[in-house]
Amino acid sequence: MATLVGASVLVLASGAAPAAAEGVGPAPVDGATGGGDPYFPAAGNGGYDVAHYDLDLSYTPQTRALTAHATIEARALQGLRSFSLDLRDLDVSAVRVDGAAAGFTHRGGELVVTPVAPLRKRARFVVDVDYGGTTGQPADPTGALYGWISFPDGAFTGNEPDGASTWYPVNDIPSDKAGYTFTVDVPDGTVAVGNGKLTDQKSAGGRTTYRWQADDPQASYLAMAATGNYVLTTDRGPHGLPIINAVDADVDRAAAQAVLAKQPAMIAFYEDRFGRYPFGSFGAVVDDNDEPGYALENQTRPIYAGVPDESTVAHELAHQWFGDKVTPRLWKDIWLNEGFATYAEWLWGESTGGPSPQQQFDQAYATPAGDELWSVLPGDPGPADMFATAVYQRGAMTLQVLRTTIGDDAFAKVLRQWAGRDRDRPVGTDDFRALAEQVSGKDLDALFRTWLYTPGKPAAPAPA
Ligand SMILES: [Zn+2]
């Protein structure tokens, strides 16, 4: 009876038509086919949130044939007549939603799925996609290899920023984190690696299947699958953290192991400054195919195209806090990843007898005024310059200026509190400035405006 009274009060108060019958909300819509990032408007989608990707991949390096099945668990954020997933260059043969065959169209990298009945707002649903094709060597708009990169002896992935869609159907925006399971089937002798922990491995009929489980929610640009001539080795980090390394048999394995052996000490060093390592495992993939020419901080398992040097390993490890755990909502804030990882590299370098961050700053500051370091804006570099030197170096210099402005103690507190933020709440530069202002009690607007958003070489900061 109380509910009836409540209902009549509601109708009187609204003065409008009686409340809609249960389950009939606003008319369902077609979910957006873009995720809202101005740098990559086609990446990502709207209207739902993914909880888990289960990717079942069968791959043969010799033919580059990929046969795959994705099971995606998601939740509707609005009533949906249709929704979209990002998937490029591969062919889709069937789509099911909650077990029922669904209609779909696939063009321009958008897989638009129409379930037999609209999805209600807040409904949990499961999408199954059968797909596959012959993989290639996709490149981003700057020409750098990314996504699923095929080589004669295997393949590895480097998704950042929007290359995940070259190998699985995905809501390809950093803010939609999800858990992952990778089941990768390869010819005997080839080893497959994913994020997280190896939970199963079995061989039959000349093929071996590896299952990797990544329970810590991760952004799609940090999902990884690598297949190659790897040797798996294990190590232990602080608190018994499992470390699983995959080193290509064709690289200088002694050199690789020598640098990877420093990972536990690096983790301990960063834990002292940034708080506990945020995930349930760590490790590295060192591949002999060095053509991509970069390393990428895939969550729990960075990948290196060739044997990395020590500062690169320190950089990718630091990203586990800065980027992987604390993740920018928009790509324009990429300096929150790269400036911080570069600064962390400086801290590690100093601890091993290298230059101090101030010396690193001084050296970079000596760069002539006409250099690109001063023309690219770290706080909004544009999609073509997301990985320009300025984003890394001038980004790290911004942190050093912050340090000299607010003092060592306040700076250390800011870094620790920033790294301690909730992994599921994407961030922007304004959030960082607000934290630094709150901790220091100083107005830092001019500092950030000058160092992140103003073209030209800034005046030398006043000595602390
Ligand atoms: Zn980086």
Side-chain angles (χ1 to χ4, degrees), residues 183-203:
T183 306
V184 188
D185 165 82
V186 285
D188 283 347
T190 300
V191 174
V193 185
N195 308 83
K197 294 176 187 165
L198 179 63
T199 57
D200 195 25
Q201 176 184 342
K202 53 185 167 227
S203 296

Side-chain angles (χ1 to χ4, degrees), residues 243-304:
I243 295 177
I244 307 153
N245 300 316
V247 177
D248 200 298
D250 299 325
V251 303
D252 180 343
R253 280 172 58 203
Q257 288 300 347
V259 65
L260 297 181
K262 297 181 182 184
Q263 292 177 137
M266 289 177 179
I267 296 168
F269 176 81
Y270 286 153
E271 284 195 341
D272 281 347
R273 281 146 191 86
F274 312 142
R276 188 148 174 160
Y277 175 78
F279 308 121
S281 63
F282 188 59
V285 175
V286 178
D287 198 280
D288 66 325
N289 294 296
D290 56 7
E291 190 184 346
Y294 57 77
L296 185 62
E297 65 268 24
N298 299 317
Q299 188 161 305
T300 70
R301 194 139 303 114
I303 188 148
Y304 304 95

Side-chain angles (χ1 to χ4, degrees), residues 15 22 78 84 123 193-194 201 277 286 340 374 401 403 405 439 441:
E22 189 183 345
Q78 57 191 139
S84 178
V193 185
Q201 176 184 342
Y277 175 78
V286 178
F340 283 63
W374 310 116
V401 176
R403 179 174 174 170
T405 303
V439 168

Side-chain angles (χ1 to χ4, degrees), residues 31-48 84 86 110 171-176 329-331:
T33 57
D37 192 306
Y39 281 19
F40 303 98
N45 307 285
Y48 65 91
S84 178
D86 305 307
E110 295 289 346
N171 186 27
D172 203 4
I173 42 170
S175 53
D176 189 0
R329 187 170 59 86
L330 295 175
W331 285 113

Side-chain angles (χ1 to χ4, degrees), residues 346-395:
W346 291 358
L347 291 172
W348 171 257
E350 178 185 40
S351 79
T352 57
S356 68
Q358 185 60 46
Q359 288 169 324
Q360 295 274 15
F361 177 95
D362 293 342
Q363 197 183 349
Y365 190 75
T367 305
D371 192 273
E372 185 191 89
L373 179 65
W374 310 116
S375 58
V376 173
L377 302 180
D380 193 1
D385 281 327
M386 269 177 65
F387 303 106
T389 305
V391 173
Y392 293 72
Q393 207 164 46
R394 192 168 158 182

